[in-house]
Every structure is written in C-alpha cells, then in structure tokens.
Amino acid sequence: MAKVKVSFEWLSGCSGCELSIVDLHERLLAVLEQIDIVRLPILMDVKDYPKAKLGIVTGALRTHHDVECAKKMRASCDAILAYGTCGVYGGPQGSGYAHAQSDLAETAFVKNPTTSTHFVPDQGVPKLLEEGVLPLDAAITVDLYLPGCPPHAYYVFEALRSVLDGKPPEFGEHNVCFHCDRAMKHTEVAALRRVHEGTIEKETCFLAQGILCMGSATLDRCRGACPTRGMPCSGCGGPSEAIVLEPNRDIRTEIATRMSMMTKIPKAKITSEIEKQAKTYYAYAMASPVFREKPTFLLRRWIAQQGAAR
Ligand code: SF4
Ligand code: SF4
Ligand code: SF4
C-alpha cells in the first residue's frame, strides 16, 4: 500500500512540538511504516513545499514570513493539522499580544542593558505582524486542531491514526481534572498562596489548599501531567471546550467560582488575583479571538495596570 505523504512546517514556536513526535517511542516505527515524511524543517533541508496528504503546522503566526509559509502549506497539503497550543491559540508566543510591537522591539534591542544593539534591526529579519500574534486559522483554513504544549503522545498517535484510517479521532472533551486524583473538598483555608509557600497535601486539590490551579478550565491534551506530579496546572493545553464554546464562561470566573466554594477565600479576591497575574494565567491563549468576546477583552488593560503598579 502506498505510504501517506506528510509535510511539516514550523512557524513561531519552540520545536517542543516536533520533539513530542519522538515521544511516540516504539509506536513511531509503526507510524513510519505508513507515512512518508516529505518535509520536516527540524531534520531535513527542504526549502520547497512538496504535495502531501497531511500538513502538520507547529508554532503561531508572529511574522509576515509565518503567514507566507502557512499559505504555502495550505496550497500544498490536502488537510492541515494545527499542532500544539501555539498553532491553535497562539501559545506562549501569544503573550506578545499584550504589548505594542514597537515596545517589544525597543525593549529587546534598545533598552536591554546586556543585549542592546542600540537600534531595532529591520534588514534581513522577518517583519512582525501588526496584530501581534495570531493562531494559524487566522491566515488559513485548518482541518484538525491538536492543542497541548506539546500534545501528549497518546493524542499525537490518535491524530495520526485518524488521518491514516480515515476515521474521526477519539479525543474526548475532558479537562485536566479528569486525570487528577486529588480530592476536591471543603476546607477552612482563607488566603491564597503560591505553590512554594508552605507544605502541600498530596491528596487534596490545589484549589482547596488556596493554590491556583487551572485544571478545571484547561483541555486535557497532556493527560494531567502537572497535578499528577505535584504541580498545579498553568493552562498550557489551552482552554477547556466549555470555555471555548460558551460565551459566558471564562477562565478566571470558572476557577474563582470553584475555589471559593471549596475554601473561605472570597470569589472577588480570587478573580482579582487572576487578573493581576493575567500574563501567567492567560499566557497560552491570550492571542486567540476566543477571548475577544468575553470580559477578557480587558486583558491588555489588566496587564498594563500591573506594569504601571510596579
Ligand atoms: S505549543 Fe508549546 S511545545 Fe509546541 S511549539 Fe508552542 S511552545 Fe513549543
Ligand atoms: S483543580 Fe487542579 S488539583 Fe484540583 S482536581 Fe483539578 S487538576 Fe487536580
Ligand atoms: S497539567 Fe496543565 S500546565 Fe501541566 S502540561 Fe497539562 S495543561 Fe499544561
């Protein structure tokens, strides 16, 4: 049987998504028996865009060059998979949304005392997008979305299997809490704290201990990697389906409602803390239009207020 041609492109990302394909371990050998990789910038020096059945695109749109490359992938591939939180929502690069592009360039190239070039380079470098950062589907039509920073091998395999077998993927719609055994329970905790402050009960939900955890508002494309290993979730898988699909639901209200019901911490205090740390708690998806229709359209203001308060 002829192998399925698969083409890769990486835009503005960190290469973690490409490395996550190696996490397939032995299953990678089975996959490679069925696919023919015609383009993979991390391993192959292929400058053109060969025809392929599946195009896997990692990274966000950060520059005009990214947009050009995304369009070439769309034109050369039958189907496009936005792979990783960057491609789906903007990912960590999305924090660029919080600032004007000119401010970011000035800070990196002129104001930084250790790396200053005293000018912002504009020759031989890709021009940043005026919009800041955009997810892949802002420039091209996307057929499949696989968020995760990077996605867990379980979902990577399922995505590839679905394409190879021509069947819809069986991903499920769970949030991170689905994979976490910590008990959600009522406590007398009356103050917020950070994860490094005090001791942590291994069997109790972080929220019940006064520690912010984004698990209930985050899609499970990591299979609960952090809370099952002793750390709260910071939302790198992107928002849960409920938050994406329901206009009146948002990360900060979702977490604050749940946490205030388990503890003695007032909901308004929790909401306010998440707004203060918006650059952390909205980091992975703030570039996505998903949040433009919610009260989070105020994200830039919250972040600017924190900057002014410092
Ligand atoms: S989604 Fe995460 S792992 Fe993938 S490219 Fe973006 S930052 Fe890297
Ligand atoms: S909020 Fe965090 S700690 Fe609590 S159950 Fe969900 S993932 Fe586990
Ligand atoms: S638990 Fe949360 S922060 Fe950790 S890998 Fe999963 S989605 Fe990302």
Side-chain angles (χ1 to χ4, degrees), residues 149 176 218-219 222-227 232-238:
C149 185
V176 169
T218 302
L219 198 63
C222 64
R223 299 182 80 72
C226 297
C233 170
S234 57
C236 80

Side-chain angles (χ1 to χ4, degrees), residues 150 152 176 179-180 219-233 236:
H152 188 283
V176 169
H179 300 273
C180 175
L219 198 63
D220 73 341
R221 296 307 182 246
C222 64
R223 299 182 80 72
C226 297
T228 53
R229 290 165 179 80
M231 285 297 286
C233 170
C236 80

Side-chain angles (χ1 to χ4, degrees), residues 251-271:
I251 288 178
R252 76 199 202 298
T253 45
E254 195 82 5
I255 305 291
T257 303
R258 199 173 288 253
M259 193 176 200
S260 61
M261 286 168 75
M262 278 190 260
T263 64
K264 304 282 183 216
I265 310 170
K267 185 175 169 185
K269 192 166 176 49
I270 303 164
T271 310

